[in-house]
Amino acid sequence: MDILIDQDTLATRITSLGREIREAHGEDASIVAICVLKGSVLFFADLVRAIGGDVRLEFLGVSSYEGTSSTGEVRITHDLRTEIRGRHVVVVEDIVDTGLTLSFLLKALRVRDPASLTVAALLDKPSKRTVDVHADHVGFSIDDHFVIGYGLDLDEKYRNLPFVAIYRPGVG
Ligand code: IMP
């Protein structure tokens, strides 16, 4: 595998993303950060520390319906444990590819009436987008590669790599 984003580069960028998110909300704002399982777990853990201040952690499990991922039908497998009405919510995603998952999530969360709803994504693959959706805070915009590591998997493998790498079939 080829390392695309190494540990130091991840750490530096996430520190500034955290500052950016804190500044956008104000020093005293209470933020509900939503970790979209499982891909954003590692990014989430680093990002919430970089945001600092009052940040509440919530987890949302989603999975694509079998065989219909291209239609963007997504199912919530683990729901939030708290109400987000009137709260400042930041959805933390690993990667925005076609945008179908994010589009579904935003619709599902918007109806719960948060005070604000923004998105932080570690990676963005703009060339793959099929729906008009974007993250407000993006770590890195990347070309159309299948990437693994730092939470991202291939059949549940490689999530624990501390860097982001380009997956090369038949290697590693
Ligand atoms: P979307 O609905 O097409 O935007 O896809 C979003 C989800 O697909 C992400 O949250 C990832 O879990 C997965 N995904 C998309 N691209 C990659 C990749 O390059 N590596 C690993 N997972 C990916």
Side-chain angles (χ1 to χ4, degrees), residues 39-84:
S40 37
V41 163
L42 304 201
F43 173 47
F44 184 77
D46 288 335
L47 185 68
V48 294
R49 284 178 280 186
I51 296 173
D54 183 354
V55 182
R56 319 287 170 97
L57 313 190
E58 282 292 324
F59 297 85
L60 191 62
V62 295
S63 77
S64 297
Y65 279 111
E66 198 71 22
T68 59
S69 54
S70 59
T71 68
E73 278 187 72
V74 182
R75 186 163 51 101
I76 292 181
T77 55
H78 173 95
D79 209 342
L80 306 178
R81 289 289 182 257
T82 189
E83 286 247 345
I84 57 167

Side-chain angles (χ1 to χ4, degrees), residues 36-40 62 64 69 72 74 93-103 123 125 128-131 133 142-149 151-154 159 165 167:
V36 184
L37 298 168
K38 302 175 191 167
S40 37
V62 295
S64 297
S69 54
V74 182
E93 262 284 25
D94 52 357
I95 185 166
V96 186
D97 189 24
T98 63
L100 289 165
T101 306
L102 182 58
S103 167
L123 303 173
K125 278 191 215 171
K128 294 286 294 294
R129 201 74 90 254
T130 60
V131 289
V133 68
I142 63 169
D143 292 336
D144 181 19
H145 303 293
F146 191 83
V147 288
I148 52 171
L152 290 148
D153 74 312
L154 174 67
R159 290 195 199 275
Y167 178 72

